[in-house]
């Protein structure tokens, strides 16, 4: 069974860890079974160069979460981390100091930057990092959305003047509190999908959109030329999961992002962003969103309070996709 997912960082990673957990119990590998093969297309719009090192926050959150090395409380960064390098950089007066990087995490960025500096494309680097975290053994292939360097910037208003700052500076340093005018994604219009990205969408049995940020995670991946067309054209049902519970994002500032692009901060508003290719949509139990023609809406508890809770959600999304797929086969 070939599943393809588009993912940002924490929301995407926790959901996909749940999907793997669900699959291990539901589709155990036997000689005649059809084990789950998961291709994850990760957002690289958050990528940033710090201290001369290339940092890919969403890709790394996916690697660490699926590979079992994540700091569970934070949702990002490594478990059992120390910060000697960052302390020394601060003592030297090196900037910026608003982005936390632990010592083990630095190892990832040093190695990635070394390989990129030797001319290796990001997708090949991610392959190396995936081996480190044993993703292949889990049936997971992680692809960056593109090998083209892409960076999300935010046009903000400060002291009566407009200027563009890196998305991370807006998100981490200013906690999305600086009034944002719009998002500008440098390099996106000329980006090409990384090898395997379009094929993974076209050849999937089910495509899943986890509850990642619809604007600055999923929205950026959808902006890579060719990705949206592939989603419109795939035979696979596309199933999405709302990032809103009780009418609000569970963490992060998805509501601010939606407001910035002029979209209503509701599950219906988010589904509208995917309307041209979405077939199934999971919303929280109390969510008032109505079903519509051509869109199957399923109500489920959508809080990923544990791996088991995430597995339940992911199982419901997968089952809906498989049912829609079977319906199509008999139609
Ligand atoms: P980021 O790149 O680390 O910000 O992570 P993502 O873009 O993958 O996911 C962020 C989104 O995940 C936010 O909009 C949250 O609302 C959503 N999210 C986080 N935890 C949960 C949860 O338990 N349930 C649901 N439904 N959404 C969640
Ligand atoms: Ca992110």
């Amino acid at each position: 069974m070939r599943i393809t997912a588009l993912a940002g960082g924490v929301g995407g990673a926790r959901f996909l860890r749940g999907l793997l957990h669900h699959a291990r119990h539901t589709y155990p590998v036997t000689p005649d079974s059809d084990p789950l093969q998961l291709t994850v297309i990760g957002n690289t719009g958050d990528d940033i160069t710090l201290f001369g090192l290339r940092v890919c926050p969403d890709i790394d959150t996916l690697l660490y979460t699926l590979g079992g090395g994540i700091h569970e409380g934070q949702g990002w960064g490594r478990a059992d981390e120390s910060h000697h390098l960052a302390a020394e950089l601060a003592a030297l007066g090196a900037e910026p100091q608003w982005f936390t990087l632990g010592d083990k995490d630095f190892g990832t960025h040093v190695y990635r930057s070394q390989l990129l500096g030797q001319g290796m494309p990001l997708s090949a680097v991610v392959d190396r990092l995936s081996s480190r975290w044993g993703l292949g053994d889990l049936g997971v292939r992680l692809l960056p959305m593109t090998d083209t360097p892409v960076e999300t910037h935010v046009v903000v208003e400060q002291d009566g003047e407009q200027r563009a700052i890196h998305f991370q500076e807006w998100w981490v340093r200013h906690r999305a509190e600086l009034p944002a005018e719009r998002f500008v994604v440098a390099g996106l219009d000329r980006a090409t999908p990384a090898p395997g990205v379009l094929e993974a969408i076209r050849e999937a049995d089910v495509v899943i959109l986890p509850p990642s940020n619809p604007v600055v995670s999923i929205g950026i991946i959808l902006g890579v030329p060719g990705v949206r067309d592939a989603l419109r054209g795939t035979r696979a049902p596309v199933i999405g999961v709302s990032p809103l519970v009780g009418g609000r994002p569970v963490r992060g500032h998805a509501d601010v992002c939606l407001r910035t692009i002029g979209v209503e901060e509701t599950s219906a508003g988010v589904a509208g962003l995917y309307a041209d290719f979405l077939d199934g949509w999971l919303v929280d139990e109390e969510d008032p969103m109505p079903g519509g023609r051509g869109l199957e809406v399923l109500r489920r508890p959508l809080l990923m309070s544990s791996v088991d809770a995430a597995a339940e959600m992911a199982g419901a999304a997968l089952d809906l996709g498989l049912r829609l797929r079977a319906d199509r086969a008999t139609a």
Side-chain angles (χ1 to χ4, degrees):
M1 190 187 336
R2 287 166 302 184
I3 310 298
T4 296
L6 275 49
V10 180
R14 285 190 172 160
F15 177 88
L16 293 172
R17 180 174 60 177
L19 179 65
L20 295 178
H21 191 74
H22 167 79
R24 254 194 310 279
H25 294 282
T26 316
Y27 309 101
V29 180
T30 60
D32 56 350
S33 71
D34 179 14
L36 187 126
Q37 295 168 277
L38 174 63
T39 301
V40 182
I41 301 169
N43 171 39
T44 60
D46 286 17
D47 294 9
I48 185 167
T49 300
L50 297 167
F51 312 111
L53 303 175
R54 194 68 178 156
V55 178
C56 303
D58 285 358
I59 295 285
D60 293 347
T61 296
L62 288 160
L63 287 166
Y64 300 160
T65 304
L66 300 180
I70 196 77
H71 186 301
E72 208 48 62
Q74 281 172 183
W76 49 270
R78 296 282 303 274
D80 304 316
E81 184 59 292
S82 55
H83 296 87
H84 299 293
L85 193 38
E88 186 58 24
L89 285 166
L92 288 164
E95 293 289 347
Q97 293 181 16
W98 45 261
F99 201 89
T100 308
L101 293 171
D103 295 327
K104 291 181 189 173
D105 197 21
F106 259 116
T108 303
H109 312 317
V110 169
Y111 184 51
R112 174 170 36 231
S113 304
Q114 180 189 29
L115 296 178
L116 289 172
Q118 290 165 358
M120 191 183 273
L122 180 63
S123 51
V125 176
V126 170
D127 237 17
R128 293 271 185 103
L129 297 173
S130 296
S131 304
R132 152 74 174 94
W133 290 102
L135 296 201
D137 299 336
L138 299 171
V140 177
R141 190 168 57 126
L142 175 59
L143 308 175
M145 65 188 197
T146 177
D147 281 332
T148 314
V150 161
E151 280 188 3
T152 305
H153 291 241
V154 189
V155 177
V156 295
E157 175 105 27
Q158 210 177 10
D159 308 323
E161 262 179 54
Q162 278 200 357
R163 58 193 189 99
I165 58 175
H166 193 286
F167 169 73
Q168 296 295 349
E169 184 171 356
W170 181 68
W171 189 262
V172 177
R173 184 182 193 185
H174 299 290
R175 295 187 185 84
E177 283 162 4
L178 269 188
E181 288 283 322
R182 60 200 155 90
F183 299 102
V184 179
V185 194
L188 194 61
D189 51 343
R190 279 166 289 110
T192 48
V197 164
L198 298 183
E199 293 80 357
I201 294 171
R202 290 195 199 113
E203 291 161 15
D205 294 314
V206 176
V207 174
I208 297 186
L209 307 186
S212 285
N213 187 308
V215 182
V216 293
S217 291
I218 306 259
I220 307 298
I221 304 174
L222 294 177
V224 177
V227 167
R228 198 165 194 120
D229 282 340
L231 284 162
R232 287 194 194 118
T234 184
R235 304 172 289 114
V238 181
I239 311 297
V241 181
S242 173
L244 304 175
V245 173
R248 312 184 44 154
V250 178
R251 54 184 285 160
H253 320 285
D255 44 355
V256 180
C257 297
L258 287 165
R259 235 176 288 144
T260 301
I261 65 164
V263 169
E264 188 184 89
E265 311 141 47
T266 61
S267 288
V270 177
L273 292 170
Y274 309 144
D276 49 330
F277 54 77
L278 193 67
D279 301 298
W281 185 230
L282 268 68
V283 301
D284 195 55
E285 287 170 304
E286 309 284 316
D287 200 300
M289 161 140 194
R293 228 176 307 160
L295 181 65
E296 182 117 359
V297 173
L298 197 66
R299 287 201 160 63
R300 282 284 178 285
L302 289 194
L303 193 61
M304 296 189 282
S305 47
S306 64
V307 175
D308 283 333
E312 288 250 337
M313 270 167 67
L318 179 57
D319 288 350
L320 175 58
L322 293 174
R323 175 161 66 74
L324 294 182
R325 185 163 175 275
D327 289 353
R328 283 182 187 180
T330 56

